[in-house]
Amino acid sequence: MTGARFEDRRIDHGVRGRSDTAHPDHTIAALAARQHGVVSRGQLRDAGVTGRALDWRLTNGRLLRLHPGVYAAGHARLTRNGHWLAAVLATGPGAVLSHRSAAALHDLRPDNRRAIDVTTAAHRIGSARIVVHARRSLDARDVASVDGVPVTTVARTLVDLAEVVPPDQLTNALRAADRQRTFDLRAIEAALERTRGRRGSGHAVMHAALAEVRARAAQLTRSRWRAGASCASPTTT
């Protein structure tokens, strides 16, 4: 038809600044696939999903609320890592899994509690399911990522663990790290130095445990030296 005008009408799928092919479900699914099935409201907003689209999916069950502002995509049958990451996301930017939960992620000791330990440098209030450990700062050298979950390093985890478990359990965790070859005495000492000034007996417990480690290492070194010296000695007849 000559002179006909065709309007370029963009269909509103609930994703700001996206083409007609973009759809909130695709955006949510892609993000959840990278994050053990969990997403946060802030992440979806940054990805362009509108508040209306998000709220509609909460109403019809496509998103399930885990914590304020954190959701499971499609179902709540999450892995352990999914629950851990959800707790970290709920605590806010810069938060990391820590203490007993971090020790479980690093396979240093089991943690069968429902509550999840999270450390953050920001002021946050915990809940029945999230134990927030507020710190004035969290050094980048004490932060790692394991399977996509932000977490304290093995060294920092062991230092933090000394605050919340009995000495014998700390010793077992140190031994587990040694078996896995993730035990690093210098890294632990550096993490201890960076956390100086904390209240509580955690530092004293860790120093005592490390003193035992050093004593055993020295004893093992002496035993190996004696064995080597014995083998090197000439046989007399």
Side-chain angles (χ1 to χ4, degrees), residues 51-137:
R52 175 182 291 183
L54 193 153
D55 291 339
W56 184 82
R57 281 157 181 79
L58 284 170
T59 300
N60 67 22
R62 294 190 184 185
L63 288 175
L64 304 175
R65 183 180 181 275
L66 299 172
H67 304 284
V70 179
Y71 318 105
H75 61 81
R77 298 187 301 275
L78 300 177
T79 63
R80 185 176 64 167
N81 285 1
H83 285 292
W84 283 335
L85 182 56
V88 170
L89 291 174
T91 308
V96 297
L97 198 72
S98 65
H99 294 74
R100 289 155 292 200
S101 302
L105 179 55
H106 288 302
D107 289 327
L108 300 177
R109 67 184 295 274
D111 183 18
N112 298 319
R113 303 170 307 135
R114 291 191 63 186
I116 297 172
D117 291 309
V118 178
T119 289
T120 178
H123 177 69
R124 292 287 187 274
I125 298 175
S127 67
R129 291 180 292 169
I130 303 177
V131 179
V132 175
H133 303 268
R135 298 290 180 250
R136 291 181 180 178
S137 63

Side-chain angles (χ1 to χ4, degrees), residues 12 18 21 24 55 59 66 68 88 95 102 109 111 113 126 130 141-142 144 154 159 162 176 201 211-212:
D12 182 9
R18 302 297 180 89
T21 58
D55 291 339
T59 300
L66 299 172
V88 170
R109 67 184 295 274
D111 183 18
R113 303 170 307 135
I130 303 177
R141 290 169 290 183
D142 293 328
V154 169
V159 170
S201 60
E212 182 180 350

Side-chain angles (χ1 to χ4, degrees), residues 34-36 81 84-85 88-89 94-98 101-102 105-106 138-157 182:
R34 300 193 299 268
Q35 297 189 159
H36 305 288
N81 285 1
W84 283 335
L85 182 56
V88 170
L89 291 174
V96 297
L97 198 72
S98 65
S101 302
L105 179 55
H106 288 302
L138 187 59
D139 196 289
R141 290 169 290 183
D142 293 328
V143 176
S145 178
V146 176
D147 198 16
V149 180
V151 61
T152 49
T153 61
V154 169
R156 174 60 184 264
T157 297
T182 57

